[in-house]
Amino acid sequence: MPSSIIYDIKVDKYNRIWIATFGGGIGCYDGIKFKVINSDNGLNNDLIRNIALDEVNNKIYVGSQGAFEVITKDSIINLSKVLNDSINSNVVLTSAV
């Protein structure tokens, strides 16, 4: 478990448990082992507040401190940066999931 402070928990169609933690990133438990997704492997930061599962498109939407990101099988995309860059703005987007 990446952190003892938990903000959100979701279970996907494969019965994996996705845990949003404050300070440890995201933990994913598949029934056997934990996988951690954090700033060391692509997230903007480790202060995760919300997780939303898009099980049709196999994506995970992540709301964190100052960023909104999407996790796919192959990548992590910082949507806040993409949107801010596209409108040439310094606005920081937040999420409500």
Side-chain angles (χ1 to χ4, degrees):
M1 183 79 157
S3 172
S4 62
I5 302 171
I6 297 171
Y7 275 168
D8 198 6
I9 298 175
K10 298 286 192 293
V11 178
D12 69 17
K13 65 184 175 187
Y14 303 107
N15 289 321
R16 293 177 297 197
I17 301 169
W18 295 88
I19 305 164
T21 71
F22 193 77
I26 300 168
C28 179
Y29 181 64
D30 66 5
I32 298 170
K33 64 183 185 310
F34 265 104
K35 176 181 177 181
V36 176
I37 302 169
N38 59 24
S39 59
D40 291 338
N41 51 26
L43 286 179
N44 185 60
N45 64 65
D46 297 329
L47 309 174
I48 310 303
R49 297 186 179 272
N50 308 94
I51 299 172
L53 304 175
D54 177 353
E55 299 193 53
V56 173
N57 297 302
N58 293 320
K59 296 179 181 178
I60 302 166
Y61 293 91
V62 178
S64 68
Q65 187 87 18
F68 181 60
E69 298 169 279
V70 62
I71 299 171
T72 67
K73 180 181 177 185
D74 302 316
S75 65
I76 300 172
I77 302 163
N78 185 332
L79 295 176
S80 300
K81 180 172 179 5
V82 170
L83 291 172
N84 285 337
D85 288 351
S86 70
I87 60 175
N88 292 325
S89 171
N90 290 324
V91 175
V92 176
L93 302 174
T94 58
S95 68
V97 179

